[in-house]
Amino acid sequence: MSGAPAATALAVHQSHDPARLEALAPEWSALVDAAGVPSPFLAPEWLLPWWRRFGGRRALWILEARDGAGRLEGLLLLASRPALPGVRRWQLLGNGITGADGLDLLARAGAGSAARAAIAGALAAGGWDLLDLEDLPFGSPTAAVLRQVLAPGGVDVEARRRFACPGFAVRGTFEAHVRRMRRRETYGRRVRWLAKQPGFRIEVAAAPDEAGPALEDFLRLHRLRWAAEGGSYGIPPGSVEDFHRDAVPRLAARGWLRLYRLLVGDRSIAAVYGVEAGGTFHYYQSGYDPEWSVRSPGMVLVGRTIEDAYARGLRYYDFLRGEEPYKLDWSADRRELCAVRVRAPSFRASAAVAADGAWRAARGAARALAPERAWAALQRARRGLEAGAAAPAAAEGRA
């Protein structure tokens, strides 16, 4: 491949050595803070545990954009993706399995254009057939820069919408927010009833010494919530739960963890796992005891996390991917995620894309024939297999 990289003063250093990922952690963490709107899903607190748990037999590709003084200005982290024999296929580190949103090239505020141009120029040298950059913020300049730099060499860059992420700007008061809520009367009744129960309280785990026990309680409630439907797709037992056991103490040490639990007496009946960074609360997952479902403890606890966001002066509340009704009850707007596929002008790349098309057609036909419940069970089983396939290699020494 050949392209015409934009002129830039940044040099790109590349590595495939996993040890480099650990060595980068201090600079990488500082770059997250310098990015303007830090995303916890691009931080070492999230991605180092991801690599240790799911790196498995994947290859790693690190591209660092540095200025003349050696300061890290941009970072792109890629992991190899299973593909047809001989096809060199890469995805963003952290994509899949744990459902991280807003993945992208990480750049220092004010240096994004130069960092993207420099890294795109390095990619123009080849070494890949397909780049599957999924779950980028829709409208990310990364796609446009890749197209500008790589298209002259015959590379195809295609972007498509992927998921919607409901949310809202935290402006005004919580009371005004509730008045706009469609189910405000139901919410009010549930809050009043639960508040009268002996021992009712909300606890928030944020410190490292609180994180472990609170997470185990959350995982228990999450499993209970999904048991009747065959198990959770978001956090299946096994290596995905273990990933969160690795990540949560790191998030807490960084000051980003907000793990809420609603208790009645000495028993927690609902939990919300949130990550708060850069003035944004990211609603990651939840769980509740189905025995209490008629009292809607999940709804009450979500409301309390939102009330807390107002009280803490946050900027934005992000429900992340998925337009479930309980999210839409509270939301006023939404962000979108996109998938950017970058295809080299090679037979291998074309064959892989054709195989993808055939797979999607077969998958669509199977889904049309299978009952929804059976299809969901198959999806959960596939996700569990993906996660489990990485676990043996992680146990062999990546941790």
Side-chain angles (χ1 to χ4, degrees):
M1 285 173 287
S2 63
T8 175
L10 303 183
V12 177
H13 304 267
Q14 302 182 45
S15 174
H16 294 282
D17 183 2
R20 180 61 184 160
L21 207 59
E22 292 279 359
L24 266 177
E27 285 183 287
W28 176 6
S29 185
L31 184 62
V32 171
D33 289 338
V37 182
S39 168
F41 305 118
L42 290 174
E45 285 78 10
W46 188 268
L47 291 178
L48 280 176
W50 193 99
W51 174 253
R52 290 171 181 159
R53 191 59 58 180
F54 307 116
R57 297 175 179 84
R58 301 174 192 262
L60 180 67
W61 192 1
I62 304 168
L63 297 98
E64 309 166 33
R66 294 183 177 272
D67 65 13
R71 186 173 74 163
L72 184 64
E73 298 287 281
L75 182 65
L76 180 64
L77 301 173
L78 301 172
S80 62
R81 184 170 186 169
L84 295 173
V87 175
R88 300 163 300 176
R89 190 169 193 169
W90 298 86
Q91 66 181 43
L92 290 165
L93 189 67
N95 183 245
I97 303 176
T98 60
D101 292 352
L103 299 176
D104 203 344
L105 183 152
L106 181 63
R108 188 178 302 275
S113 296
R116 286 181 171 87
I119 289 175
L123 292 172
W128 53 274
D129 297 300
L130 285 173
L131 303 177
D132 293 319
L133 310 180
E134 297 178 347
D135 302 329
L136 278 76
F138 187 79
S140 165
T142 298
V145 172
L146 289 172
R147 187 175 290 112
Q148 177 186 357
V149 174
L150 300 177
V155 172
D156 179 69
V157 180
E158 175 192 4
R160 60 180 176 85
R161 285 179 166 84
R162 186 166 165 82
F163 296 114
C165 304
F168 57 89
V170 182
R171 289 196 292 264
T173 66
F174 174 67
E175 292 73 20
H177 194 130
V178 172
R179 286 196 295 271
R180 296 190 297 268
M181 183 186 175
R182 181 175 59 87
R183 300 176 65 201
R184 58 187 175 275
E185 293 181 1
T186 301
Y187 172 72
R189 287 196 302 271
R190 299 294 188 260
V191 169
R192 290 190 294 272
W193 189 90
L194 280 167
K196 293 176 182 177
Q197 305 313 300
F200 167 82
R201 63 195 183 279
I202 306 293
E203 294 184 355
V204 185
D209 61 342
E210 304 167 328
L215 177 67
E216 294 305 324
D217 207 16
F218 160 79
L219 291 173
R220 175 185 65 83
L221 289 165
H222 187 74
R223 290 187 215 108
L224 282 174
R225 156 66 181 89
W226 291 101
E229 299 181 41
S232 170
Y233 183 77
I235 307 181
S239 57
V240 178
E241 287 190 351
D242 289 339
F243 158 78
H244 290 287
R245 292 184 177 102
D246 295 343
V248 157
R250 291 171 170 264
L251 295 170
R254 186 72 181 266
W256 287 350
L257 180 68
R258 301 289 292 176
L259 213 164
Y260 292 80
R261 289 180 295 161
L262 187 158
L263 295 92
V264 173
D266 59 356
R267 181 184 181 189
S268 55
I269 61 173
V272 168
Y273 175 2
V275 185
E276 183 183 305
T280 294
F281 181 85
H282 303 270
Y283 177 100
Y284 184 73
Q285 277 286 1
S286 63
Y288 63 83
D289 187 337
E291 291 183 10
W292 288 76
S293 60
V294 295
R295 300 299 181 180
S296 306
M299 173 195 279
V300 172
L301 187 55
V302 170
R304 184 57 66 90
T305 69
I306 292 170
E307 184 177 8
D308 204 21
Y310 277 92
R312 291 164 57 78
L314 299 188
R315 179 184 57 84
Y316 196 82
Y317 191 108
D318 189 346
F319 275 109
L320 301 178
R321 69 180 66 182
E323 296 183 278
E324 293 88 346
Y326 77 91
K327 295 182 180 181
L328 299 179
D329 281 344
W330 293 99
S331 299
D333 56 34
R334 68 179 195 175
R335 299 177 303 104
E336 288 189 318
L337 303 177
C338 70
V340 177
R341 168 171 283 174
V342 186
R343 181 176 66 181
S346 69
F347 173 78
R348 289 190 302 266
S350 297
V353 170
D356 283 353
W359 164 251
R360 282 195 299 270
R363 184 174 178 269
R367 183 165 191 173
L369 294 172
E372 188 63 31
R373 192 179 182 91
W375 181 257
L378 287 171
Q379 290 290 89
R380 285 191 293 271
R382 180 186 63 81
R383 191 177 181 87
L385 288 171
E386 287 177 356
E396 288 168 9
R398 287 205 185 276

